[in-house]
Amino acid sequence: MMKSFRIGTLFGIPIKLDITFLLVLPLFAYLIGFQIGAVTELLNAFMGASIDVEAVTAGWNPWILGLAAAIGLFVGVVFHELGHSLTAQRYGFPIDSITLWLFGGVAAFSEMPEDWRQEFAIAIAGPIVSVLVGIASFGLFYVTPASMDGTQFVLAYLAILNVALAGFNMLPAFPMDGGRVLRAFLARSKPYAQATQQAASIGKFFAVLMGLFALIPPFNIILLGIAFFVYIAASSEAQQVTMKAAFQDVTVSDIMTPASDLHTVTPDASVAQLIQRMFSERHTGYPVVESNGGGGRLVGLVTLSDAREIQPVERDAYTVEEIMTTDLKTISAESDAMTAIEQMRENDIGRLLVVERNGHVGTPGQETDVPPGSEPRAGDDLVGLISRSDIMTAFDIVQKSGAVGLAAQAQRAD
């Protein structure tokens, strides 16, 4: 998703709008308004309504009613996501937000349940709410006076569409609701990761079918986009769950590159020396430690972009300490590998410095004590570095061999 902004809160859950929602809402309003005459005739035939076609198609009515129906549809989507979210909260899983975007709505879970009963209840709650919204819309349609043709059209349209939304979401196309229900049933007798892989494979198959169906004239770009999203999301979640299972007992220290194998630089080295080392060692970034080689006390990080800021004629006069950054992304060696993966993803970086708490931070002579249990930072002892390539190498070994020890040994042997 793109940039989103908060519009309110329901039951303590932030409700957000993604920028793409502002594009799709007018599109939906236009499509509903453009087809309002034909849709009204179908509603009259299917629901026994007596909506005046001439009344709803006169003047600006198609576009006004189209916008009202589109807004009502997305309100129904919010209720659908609230069904998931409130059920998840009942089981103790916090919800970060509900976001409306190009393809409807999504509830951002802080953590996904691995108990099949909980996942089934959470997954089925959304479609159930959509059906209830559809029934409520039909009830309001039924009691609305026949003279209110526009209101009857919107309510009848929402009654049909919310039930259709529930049915569409129950397709076994993981990670849609039906796919999550399927995984829940598979997880009754299989490991969670294996159930996820099988549900994802079925989901990708349905995504391909949806994509092919979308290409049949008239071309349906929205369905094609949903198919693409389902395929990518199924692959991504399957990989994440498999990785979490593979790294269940793996710590950062098992797969990191130890400090003894790292290229580091001292804070008193000149920028000219740093540039020369970058050229000869083919590295563009160095941890800055008080003693070069074999680890040492981490005081910063220096990169090629930092060095470029110094004019060539002045590089002998400047030291690494004067250009390095102390705003570091670090992790402790005892942390589990999945924590490292999540930190890299959140900060959009490819590596983390691995440090060990030494009880104080700061430059020599200006150390400051830190409370026990606080986060690692510059001033701690550098014990290694973990990168995405370290993680993927270990993942490949663990997945193929099932041996954590082999993964750790392979990393240390590289």
Side-chain angles (χ1 to χ4, degrees):
M1 285 183 281
M2 300 170 67
K3 184 173 178 59
S4 60
F5 54 92
R6 183 169 174 171
I7 60 170
T9 302
L10 287 174
F11 301 99
I13 302 171
I15 308 298
K16 299 181 178 180
L17 288 185
D18 188 82
I19 294 298
T20 56
F21 172 79
L22 301 180
L23 300 176
V24 75
L25 181 64
L27 175 62
F28 273 44
Y30 170 78
L31 292 175
I32 296 170
F34 182 75
Q35 302 172 353
I36 193 168
V39 171
T40 301
E41 292 177 355
L42 288 174
L43 292 175
N44 286 339
F46 183 74
M47 299 182 65
S50 56
I51 303 170
D52 187 344
V53 176
E54 292 185 3
V56 297
T57 57
W60 286 91
N61 284 347
W63 319 118
I64 295 172
L65 297 177
L67 180 60
I71 293 173
L73 172 61
F74 281 101
V75 170
V77 169
V78 171
F79 280 113
H80 178 104
E81 297 302 330
L82 278 173
H84 294 310
S85 301
L86 295 178
T87 307
Q89 286 184 334
R90 179 185 167 216
Y91 289 116
F93 296 98
I95 307 298
D96 291 335
S97 63
I98 292 175
T99 304
L100 293 176
W101 70 305
L102 180 62
F103 298 127
V106 59
F109 285 65
S110 299
E111 182 183 356
M112 294 299 296
E114 295 190 11
D115 181 280
W116 73 268
R117 295 177 183 84
Q118 293 179 350
E119 176 161 44
F120 173 79
I122 293 170
I124 201 69
I128 288 175
V129 170
S130 290
V131 171
L132 292 176
V133 171
I135 293 173
S137 298
F138 178 78
L140 292 173
F141 159 78
Y142 187 77
V143 299
T144 299
S147 59
M148 301 176 65
D149 298 286
T151 304
Q152 279 198 329
F153 168 81
V154 172
L155 292 172
Y157 188 86
L158 293 178
I160 298 296
L161 216 57
N162 276 282
V163 175
L165 175 66
F168 179 75
N169 272 279
M170 284 306 295
L171 290 175
F174 184 85
M176 291 171 57
D177 298 337
R180 295 194 180 280
V181 169
L182 173 63
R183 179 172 67 177
F185 280 114
L186 290 173
R188 294 177 63 186
S189 56
K190 302 177 186 293
Y192 184 74
Q194 185 180 353
T196 301
Q197 289 282 8
Q198 292 182 357
S201 297
I202 295 172
K204 288 189 285 187
F205 172 74
F206 270 89
V208 171
L209 290 182
M210 282 192 288
L212 293 175
F213 184 78
L215 294 174
I216 299 174
F219 182 71
N220 192 326
I221 191 171
I222 295 177
L223 183 60
L224 183 63
I226 293 174
F228 179 77
F229 169 75
V230 168
Y231 191 94
I232 297 299
S235 301
S236 176
E237 186 162 339
Q239 183 185 42
Q240 184 175 353
V241 170
T242 303
M243 188 173 288
K244 184 177 180 181
F247 286 144
Q248 184 173 0
D249 299 313
V250 180
T251 64
V252 168
S253 62
D254 290 326
I255 58 178
M256 71 181 185
T257 300
S260 58
D261 295 337
L262 293 177
H263 292 271
T264 61
V265 66
T266 57
D268 58 355
S270 70
V271 175
Q273 292 172 325
L274 174 67
I275 294 289
Q276 180 58 41
R277 284 194 58 187
M278 287 180 172
F279 177 78
S280 61
E281 296 173 358
R282 309 292 196 277
H283 284 285
T284 58
Y286 290 85
V288 184
V289 297
E290 289 184 358
S291 58
N292 192 18
R297 187 179 178 197
L298 178 68
V299 293
L301 179 71
V302 65
T303 65
L304 179 59
S305 61
D306 297 324
R308 280 177 175 167
E309 294 180 2
I310 307 301
Q311 294 297 323
V313 295
E314 299 177 327
R315 286 173 181 170
D316 281 316
Y318 281 84
T319 64
V320 167
E321 185 175 14
E322 293 174 289
I323 65 170
M324 70 183 185
T325 178
T326 57
D327 182 18
L328 307 178
K329 303 301 180 183
T330 62
I331 192 169
S332 66
E334 295 78 21
S335 299
D336 59 78
M338 281 305 299
T339 300
I341 295 170
E342 290 165 3
Q343 285 192 23
M344 289 184 199
R345 184 181 297 119
E346 289 172 3
N347 294 290
D348 193 25
I349 54 178
R351 63 196 66 197
L352 292 168
L353 294 166
V354 185
V355 296
E356 185 178 83
R357 298 315 314 265
N358 60 22
H360 55 273
V361 296
T363 56
Q366 297 180 328
E367 293 92 344
T368 302
D369 291 336
V370 295
S374 57
E375 292 298 318
R377 68 195 76 186
D380 292 327
D381 293 330
L382 178 68
V383 295
L385 181 144
I386 184 170
S387 66
R388 286 182 180 176
S389 60
D390 292 328
I391 290 170
M392 294 313 297
T393 299
F395 176 60
D396 187 52
I397 295 172
V398 172
Q399 194 174 30
K400 290 179 179 177
S401 68
V404 173
L406 289 177
Q409 292 169 20
Q411 288 300 108
R412 295 190 178 103
D414 286 342

